[in-house]
Amino acid sequence: MGKRRGGRELLRGLSKKQKQHLREFGEEHPFYDKVLLLLLLHSCFPFQTENSDKSSAESDSETEAEQVSAYHKLLATLKTSPESESEEEEDESESEEAVESETEVNSEGSQETGEADGGEEDKNDVPDQEEVTATAEQTLGQEQADGADTSCDPSHGVIEEFTDVKHECEFSLETNFMEEESGDCNADKRDSNSSQAFSEDPFKQHMDKELEEKEAEKMSTLPKTSSQSKWPRLGQLTFSSTLEKHKTLKADKEVDVKQLYLHKPLESTWPKVNKQFLSSVNKPSDPSFTPLQRELFCIMNTYRDLFYPERNALTNGEEIRHAYCLHALNHVLKANAQVLSNNAKRRDQKPGTDNDDYRDQGLTRPKVLMIVPFRECALRIVHIFISLLEVNDKRKIDVSNKKRFKGEFGSDPEEKPPNLKRPEDYEAVFAGNIDDHFRIGVAILQKSMRLYAPFYSSDIIIASPLGMRTIIGAEGEKKRDFDFLSSIEMLIIDQADIYLMQNWEHVLHLMKHINLLPLDSHGVDFSRVRMLNLNNWSKYYRQTLLFSALQDPQINSVFNKHCFNYVGQVAIRNVPLNGSISHVVVQLPHVFRRLEAENLTSVINTRFQFFIDKVLPEYRDAIMSHTLIYVPSYFDYVRLRNYFKKEDLNFTHICEYTKKAGVCRARRFFLKGEKQFLLFTERFHFYKRYTIKGIRNLIFYELPTYSHFYSEICNMMKATDNGMDATWTCTVLYSKYDAQKLAAVVGIDRTAQMLQSKKNVHLFVTGEN
């Protein structure tokens, strides 16, 4: 098929005379043979030329005007009108390369919102070591070489990712000076002259503090002390710190933008960019922030770690994204301005005088790492950055490779099936390009932005957990690199709950490799490196911002065990008063059965034994047909599937790997009652949200990760109108280690009673008038 298609496209590009010559002689006319033409030209004009066509295709800077050499002018005169299509063909081949590269990195549940390919698209989200290693061998180390443009490698047949290396000098921190930025130099000098402004800037306070060895030892050994506080919008806050008790923050009722020490031009651009979220309710004295943004930014701006577990893609997701983008960009602009200012001071000082006052850099350049689940999120972040840097419509900033970025990270609205009906929260999460294998470096300097910068020349890295996993690699692999993570000063993990549905191991792998001493120097000037980096104390200065839609032990563990900020941490800890069980509309008895486990590691085996010994025998009878078993963990699903096969039970199963035909077949068998049991995984429901018809008996093998999935699954029973609702049942297994999930389903008060009660069985009935 590929050869035929290629042949047809070649014929389409020929003129009538060329086609006639092809029919008569069986070959293309020598005049139109590009290779022969180039050989003739080289023989006539033996001088060096550069491949401008390729360079223009690789660097999509929309502002650069290429100078056309005499050779290319001559070449243009020899080309006839049909041959002018070669540029279009090159653009088409570029777009095909982008499509092929996206197809190569397709991953499991994030590629398709439709029902075309079933659950097979979710494979990268399961902890499959062989698959990750294979992907790593293909794509690792592409950002390592700053001087080589990575393009198609015909020997391997793999289209490697694009990295812009053409603007190295323009975006180099070492070779630029503050004077080149109009106006900012004077502002920086004014700030440096004012000792008060210098000392009160949160960035200066945080980065310039020198820890003592005793303090570093305390942070690695002593437990944290905590205190509580209640804020008007965020609610219950927990402040914790290992060092001397820091003052508990108080919520600012009003915020003056000038007091936030925002770097130019953010003071003037932020109110315009954030205008979409502001309402007439906002006070005139606080025109720039929503109440949520104001309280979040007050915490962010003190450089404390922050965990906010109430992010909602439908309501406050974009508000939060704008707030952390402002904070990250503010940090990068201040850090780069400090370096450029010191460059000018060093240039002006007398030769031979060594000064230790210019320590303003890390061991590597990347300062901010932003982890997001999908390409669409990266696209929105870059758009926010561009909006924040553009003072007005007349002063547009220069964005290198913007066209290519839009092509690779944008999406086609027509690709989405028109008749697809899904819940609103699903539409909000899976909007746009939902490929989950990507990483991109962003350099920001002198009112311009460079996309696809090599990592060691980037200020900000935006990536997915899978994208980071494939470049970090595993121990023993030849091609792996994580030195660029050595001096990360700000880590932002957004939508952390989605990574539980992808592969949480990738997040843990990243946390183990961040802020380690680099294995190579990467050309750093050690006289400019901060002492905190040389002492390997980067992790104590790193600010971590963690946003999630839910409280989960695994997310809590990352925040508690992998965040060492010397300033302290702030976690929002609001308890759910009403659980999602209140949203169940069908009349249904819910039986909650508590299982006793000695410790956390034994819960998995205890649950399995409890299920096969006490729960399953009650449902083996033919009367208890149409039983759906909801299984959150894929490993539990595999264990149950193997047990059901061994016991020769009449069952079918649907998981994230099941092909569309298999899903349709299983749903049909279950609806008609030909199969008594249906094993159903949580990740399939997360990525597909199909309505399963025919459910009469429901078993939650474990409480769902997302509390609203509980009411969604229960409400699926009303999809079958057979008048047999009196026989509907729902059984839920839980243990004391499921306290957070249980509270999200039944509410905090009922949870306390159920965990402390001597009874192991609790009954709730929903749907009663």
Side-chain angles (χ1 to χ4, degrees):
M1 288 297 290
K3 290 181 179 178
R4 289 180 185 174
R5 182 183 167 196
R8 281 198 293 270
E9 290 192 1
L10 281 172
L11 284 171
R12 231 178 269 133
L14 299 176
S15 65
K16 288 184 180 179
K17 288 184 179 180
Q18 288 173 289
K19 288 177 183 176
Q20 185 179 357
H21 191 279
L22 190 64
R23 278 195 298 270
E24 291 176 2
F25 298 97
E27 63 178 12
E28 195 175 1
H29 194 283
F31 183 80
Y32 299 107
D33 190 335
K34 296 174 191 138
V35 178
L36 183 60
L37 180 63
L38 288 172
L39 287 172
L40 286 169
L41 285 168
H42 272 291
S43 63
C44 297
F45 303 92
F47 46 78
Q48 294 290 326
T49 62
E50 55 182 45
N51 191 349
S52 68
D53 284 350
K54 183 178 177 183
S55 65
S56 64
E58 289 297 327
S59 171
D60 288 43
S61 176
E62 297 172 352
T63 56
E64 286 186 5
E66 292 190 68
Q67 293 190 358
V68 183
S69 63
Y71 165 73
H72 288 96
K73 287 180 180 177
L74 178 62
L75 189 61
T77 59
L78 289 172
K79 286 184 179 179
T80 57
S81 57
E83 286 302 305
S84 65
E85 294 172 6
S86 63
E87 289 181 9
E88 295 176 15
E89 288 171 11
E90 187 173 338
D91 289 339
E92 287 174 12
S93 66
E94 258 189 40
S95 64
E96 285 175 13
E97 283 180 14
V99 170
E100 287 177 23
S101 64
E102 285 188 17
T103 309
E104 177 198 343
V105 298
N106 268 356
S107 64
E108 143 172 354
S110 55
Q111 261 310 312
E112 184 88 13
T113 55
E115 304 177 8
D117 296 322
E120 280 296 321
E121 49 202 31
D122 302 337
K123 287 190 178 175
N124 280 334
D125 295 332
V126 171
D128 187 342
Q129 185 63 38
E130 292 179 6
E131 185 176 337
V132 170
T133 307
T135 314
E137 288 176 357
Q138 293 173 0
T139 56
L140 276 181
Q142 289 153 15
E143 282 87 353
Q144 291 178 20
D146 287 3
D149 189 13
T150 55
S151 55
C152 181
D153 184 359
S155 62
H156 292 85
V158 176
I159 297 178
E160 298 184 349
E161 63 194 76
F162 171 76
T163 304
D164 174 41
V165 294
K166 294 186 177 297
H167 304 84
E168 203 65 42
C169 182
E170 182 186 345
F171 285 87
S172 172
L173 282 178
E174 290 77 16
T175 56
N176 284 280
F177 303 97
M178 200 65 180
E179 284 84 353
E180 295 180 31
E181 289 197 77
S182 58
D184 280 358
C185 178
N186 297 328
D188 186 72
K189 286 178 181 176
R190 284 197 302 271
D191 288 346
S192 62
N193 292 334
S194 169
S195 60
Q196 185 179 0
F198 183 86
S199 61
E200 290 181 1
D201 187 345
F203 169 79
K204 300 282 188 185
Q205 285 181 339
H206 182 66
M207 299 307 297
D208 291 348
K209 177 178 171 61
E210 294 184 8
L211 287 176
E212 297 177 4
E213 286 192 25
K214 290 180 181 179
E215 292 177 319
E217 287 176 11
K218 279 184 182 179
M219 283 187 285
S220 57
T221 55
L222 294 179
K224 297 173 183 173
T225 57
S226 59
S227 59
Q228 306 286 331
S229 179
K230 192 164 186 178
W231 285 23
R233 178 64 180 83
L234 292 178
Q236 197 68 32
L237 271 64
T238 301
F239 293 84
S240 56
S241 174
T242 308
L243 299 182
E244 69 277 356
K245 266 196 171 180
H246 291 273
K247 293 179 181 178
T248 303
L249 279 176
K250 291 184 179 180
D252 292 332
K253 294 181 180 178
E254 297 176 3
V255 172
D256 184 3
V257 179
K258 294 179 181 178
Q259 293 178 353
L260 295 175
Y261 299 94
L262 295 180
H263 194 274
K264 288 186 177 181
L266 303 181
E267 269 187 31
S268 56
T269 57
W270 170 250
K272 298 174 187 175
V273 173
N274 201 49
K275 191 177 180 180
Q276 55 183 309
F277 304 110
L278 303 175
S279 63
S280 56
V281 182
N282 273 45
K283 299 176 183 177
S285 56
D286 184 20
S288 308
F289 291 88
T290 65
L292 175 65
Q293 287 175 330
R294 182 178 65 244
E295 295 187 9
L296 286 175
F297 195 81
C298 281
I299 298 169
M300 291 181 199
N301 212 29
T302 61
Y303 280 87
R304 287 173 167 87
D305 292 340
L306 171 65
F307 175 36
Y308 182 71
E310 296 176 14
R311 185 195 192 279
N312 188 309
L314 271 175
T315 55
N316 59 19
E318 290 306 309
E319 275 184 70
I320 293 168
R321 198 194 311 276
H322 277 69
Y324 71 65
C325 283
L326 171 68
H327 181 52
L329 192 58
N330 190 37
H331 179 85
V332 168
L333 290 175
K334 286 179 180 179
N336 286 355
Q338 188 180 25
V339 174
L340 297 177
S341 175
N342 287 340
N343 285 351
K345 291 174 184 176
R346 288 191 68 183
R347 181 189 58 184
D348 297 339
Q349 75 177 8
K350 296 177 182 178
T353 57
D354 293 330
N355 198 330
D356 207 35
D357 295 338
Y358 301 135
R359 295 193 176 274
D360 50 16
Q361 301 175 23
L363 289 163
T364 50
R365 180 170 170 179
K367 306 168 188 65
V368 178
L369 175 61
M370 308 178 89
I371 301 297
V372 289
F374 305 122
R375 284 181 183 257
E376 173 69 17
C377 306
L379 180 76
R380 293 182 186 186
I381 286 170
V382 170
H383 283 170
I384 293 169
F385 286 159
I386 294 171
S387 302
L388 286 170
L389 290 171
E390 288 181 343
V391 179
N392 51 50
D393 295 335
K394 295 179 181 178
R395 293 176 63 185
K396 296 281 186 184
I397 65 163
D398 179 22
V399 183
S400 304
N401 309 307
K402 187 176 180 181
K403 183 180 177 183
R404 188 178 192 114
F405 176 73
K406 284 182 178 178
E408 292 184 2
F409 284 76
S411 62
D412 186 359
E414 296 179 1
E415 289 178 1
K416 186 179 175 182
N419 299 325
L420 195 65
K421 291 182 180 178
R422 293 289 182 269
E424 288 182 345
D425 64 297
Y426 179 93
E427 298 287 355
V429 169
F430 293 101
N433 188 336
I434 52 171
D435 175 24
D436 69 351
H437 187 180
F438 63 91
R439 51 184 178 266
I440 183 171
V442 181
I444 297 170
L445 201 66
Q446 303 190 1
K447 297 183 176 63
S448 56
M449 180 186 292
R450 175 191 183 194
L451 303 173
Y452 296 98
F455 277 6
Y456 291 98
S457 303
S458 302
D459 296 303
I460 301 171
I461 295 170
I462 309 171
S464 66
L466 180 62
M468 294 307 299
R469 176 67 180 81
T470 49
I471 191 172
I472 291 172
E475 194 172 343
E477 291 181 9
K478 291 182 180 178
K479 288 187 177 181
R480 59 183 309 217
D481 185 20
F482 48 86
D483 283 359
F484 58 87
L485 298 173
S486 64
S487 299
I488 294 293
E489 296 162 3
M490 187 182 296
L491 171 64
I492 300 171
I493 302 177
D494 196 12
Q495 295 175 271
D497 52 287
I498 294 180
Y499 312 137
L500 296 171
M501 298 292 114
Q502 292 178 348
N503 193 337
W504 190 251
E505 289 296 322
H506 296 337
V507 178
L508 298 178
H509 194 72
L510 167 65
M511 299 308 292
K512 289 174 186 173
H513 289 84
I514 197 168
N515 292 129
L516 301 178
L517 284 175
L519 304 176
D520 191 11
S521 64
H522 300 283
V524 68
D525 180 1
F526 284 98
S527 66
R528 300 287 296 274
V529 178
R530 294 189 183 97
M531 292 307 298
L532 69 94
N533 298 101
L534 296 175
N535 290 331
N536 196 21
W537 290 347
S538 302
K539 64 180 180 180
Y540 300 127
Y541 287 79
R542 185 190 78 231
Q543 181 186 28
T544 305
L545 306 177
L546 187 56
F547 302 98
S548 168
L550 49 90
Q551 302 243 18
D552 187 88
Q554 296 181 83
I555 300 174
N556 291 338
S557 174
V558 164
F559 190 68
N560 294 330
K561 293 182 179 179
H562 294 278
C563 300
F564 309 96
N565 195 337
Y566 78 86
V567 189
Q569 299 174 314
V570 182
I572 286 79
R573 301 290 186 196
N574 294 319
V575 291
L577 299 176
N578 298 314
S580 63
I581 195 170
S582 60
H583 298 130
V584 178
V585 296
V586 295
Q587 189 168 348
L588 180 68
H590 305 256
V591 180
F592 286 78
R593 304 184 67 166
R594 189 175 73 214
L595 51 99
E596 302 295 341
E598 294 178 1
N599 52 55
L600 188 58
T601 54
S602 65
V603 170
I604 296 170
N605 291 328
T606 305
R607 180 181 282 110
F608 179 73
Q609 286 300 325
F610 186 87
F611 176 78
I612 63 175
D613 294 340
K614 296 185 178 181
V615 179
L616 190 57
E618 299 174 5
Y619 289 85
R620 279 179 179 254
D621 197 312
I623 300 172
M624 305 296 284
S625 62
H626 297 273
T627 300
L628 183 140
I629 304 172
Y630 180 92
V631 191
S633 167
Y634 179 76
F635 301 108
D636 287 334
Y637 160 81
V638 172
R639 190 176 189 180
L640 287 172
R641 185 190 64 194
N642 294 344
Y643 177 80
F644 276 41
K645 284 181 179 178
K646 181 183 172 185
E647 293 293 314
D648 199 22
L649 293 174
N650 182 24
F651 82 103
T652 184
H653 51 90
I654 297 176
C655 74
E656 53 270 27
Y657 297 148
T658 311
K659 292 181 180 179
K660 187 184 177 185
V663 173
C664 294
R665 192 163 51 247
R667 291 172 72 186
R668 186 176 67 252
F669 287 160
F670 184 69
L671 176 61
K672 292 183 176 179
E674 296 177 21
K675 299 291 183 182
Q676 184 176 352
F677 296 98
L678 170 61
L679 290 177
F680 187 79
T681 63
E682 181 172 73
R683 286 203 302 179
F684 177 82
H685 183 65
F686 175 78
Y687 283 113
K688 295 300 177 187
R689 295 290 186 90
Y690 288 1
T691 299
I692 306 297
K693 296 182 180 180
I695 305 172
R696 295 180 194 170
N697 305 292
L698 186 56
I699 300 174
F700 284 92
Y701 185 77
E702 187 182 352
L703 284 159
T705 305
Y706 290 90
S707 59
H708 64 276
F709 283 3
Y710 184 86
S711 54
E712 273 185 28
I713 300 293
C714 290
N715 289 331
M716 284 182 187
M717 289 183 167
K718 69 179 180 181
T720 309
D721 297 321
N722 52 11
M724 297 183 68
D725 51 345
T727 61
W728 289 350
T729 65
C730 176
T731 302
V732 186
L733 307 186
Y734 74 96
S735 72
K736 63 182 179 181
Y737 300 105
D738 298 323
Q740 285 181 327
K741 292 180 181 178
L742 186 61
V745 171
V746 300
I748 189 66
D749 295 332
R750 288 171 177 165
T751 299
Q753 294 173 8
M754 291 167 69
L755 293 177
Q756 294 169 6
S757 172
K758 293 179 181 179
K759 296 179 181 179
N760 291 332
V761 180
H762 301 271
L763 174 66
F764 301 94
V765 180
T766 57
E768 290 182 323
N769 294 329

